[in-house]
Amino acid sequence: MITTDFVPGSPCWLDLGAPDVPAAAAFYSAVLGWDYESMGEGEDMEGGMFRKDGKIVAGLGKLTEEGARSAWMIYHSVADADATTQAVQSAGGTVRVAPMDLDEWGRMAQYSDPLGGQFAVWQPGTNKGVELVDEPGSLSWTELYTSDAAAAKEFYGGVFGWQFSDMELPGGGGTYSLITPAGLPEERMHGGVMELPKENLALADGRPYWHPVFAVADCDAAVAKVTENGGSVQMGPEDAEGVGRLAVCLDPANADFVVLTPVSPS
């Protein structure tokens, strides 16, 4: 489960780079019940925050990078963004955005792992991260699709100190590696690594990619909202034993995310 105490290595923030900010705001408001709060529509800045029940759940910004695809960026909490940058480079990753201060809120940096999967870190200042997690309409899990799970575990384990535990997927679906922050028990696991052939990673031209999993009260109702509002469904809805009912979705700009109605605790 993801919590808001944001220990080092845990997901603490996410934002979407969208080609059409108002369209993205309308889509996610319809699908997840979010309220969008614009922070300006100026030449240099177009974007804002999503809230659920008054609490910040994600950010939204204009996609400006040449040739980039619309996608969610997941940020992990770190004590020192500069030290993390050195660790990323030592482990064979690359720096996309060097550590930079965002006023008094905190310090951020963005990277690519050795196979090209993009991720980011947040060194908290006055802002620790999102204010609601693990509830309907908020982040409840993170997932990396990659063509080389062993290499991903070596890289991210070295950078963040993550602990991994492997489970076999039913029906010969392969191995899924569960991620837990360093030194914490498995009930604090916050994500997973799934190995897929490169041809199944067409969204990112064969490169790995992270995506968020959002908890929803009713997976099928959320999927209906996805398709009604111009999105599409890559997989599901289907039941995953011990996990819940889920679907892999694309928004109208082809940014991927998952909606999950988790199984009720017995």
Side-chain angles (χ1 to χ4, degrees):
M1 63 181 293
I2 294 176
T3 63
T4 54
D5 61 358
F6 303 135
V7 298
S10 66
C12 65
W13 180 257
L14 69 164
D15 53 37
L16 174 67
D20 184 332
V21 167
F27 174 82
Y28 287 97
S29 296
V31 172
L32 295 171
W34 288 350
D35 297 310
Y36 178 61
E37 191 176 281
S38 174
M39 293 179 69
E41 309 297 330
E43 191 82 1
D44 301 324
M45 168 72 185
E46 184 182 359
M49 304 290 180
F50 285 115
R51 292 182 183 268
K52 174 74 173 176
D53 302 328
K55 296 180 177 177
I56 294 173
V57 288
L60 173 62
K62 178 90 171 166
L63 184 66
T64 55
E65 188 178 339
E66 196 69 36
R69 78 177 185 100
S70 182
W72 284 95
M73 180 70 72
I74 296 169
Y75 294 72
H76 300 88
S77 189
V78 294
D80 185 334
D82 296 87
T84 303
T85 298
Q86 291 181 333
V88 165
Q89 292 173 309
S90 297
T94 54
V95 179
R96 298 183 65 249
V97 179
M100 58 184 285
D101 291 324
L102 295 179
D103 297 326
E104 73 282 0
W105 298 334
R107 191 164 171 79
M108 62 82 73
Q110 294 185 0
Y111 315 106
S112 294
D113 69 25
L115 292 178
Q118 297 181 359
F119 67 106
V121 298
W122 180 252
Q123 177 185 327
T126 57
N127 188 316
K128 308 295 186 218
V130 294
E131 297 170 348
L132 183 72
V133 293
D134 220 36
E135 297 285 344
S138 68
L139 183 69
S140 65
W141 192 252
T142 62
E143 203 162 54
L144 174 67
Y145 287 172
T146 181
S147 57
D148 190 338
K153 289 193 284 186
E154 182 178 355
F155 172 77
Y156 289 101
V159 170
F160 292 123
W162 286 346
Q163 307 163 123
F164 296 95
S165 54
D166 293 345
M167 58 177 275
E168 293 304 313
L169 294 171
T175 302
Y176 192 84
S177 299
L178 300 158
I179 304 167
T180 305
L184 291 186
E186 285 196 348
E187 58 260 28
R188 288 295 302 273
M189 61 180 56
H190 64 249
V193 177
M194 178 76 186
E195 184 168 297
L196 294 168
K198 274 194 174 180
E199 55 267 27
N200 288 18
L201 303 175
L203 266 184
D205 299 322
R207 294 189 306 275
Y209 56 91
W210 286 93
H211 59 209
V213 178
F214 298 117
V216 292
D218 183 331
C219 178
D220 294 73
V223 166
K225 290 286 188 187
V226 167
T227 54
E228 284 167 18
N229 289 276
S232 58
V233 180
Q234 284 193 301
M235 186 194 84
E238 63 183 47
D239 294 315
E241 187 179 349
V243 176
R245 189 161 176 81
L246 59 88
V248 182
C249 304
L250 298 176
D251 71 17
N254 281 345
D256 54 302
F257 63 100
V258 175
V259 289
L260 166 69
T261 302
V263 290
S264 301
S266 52

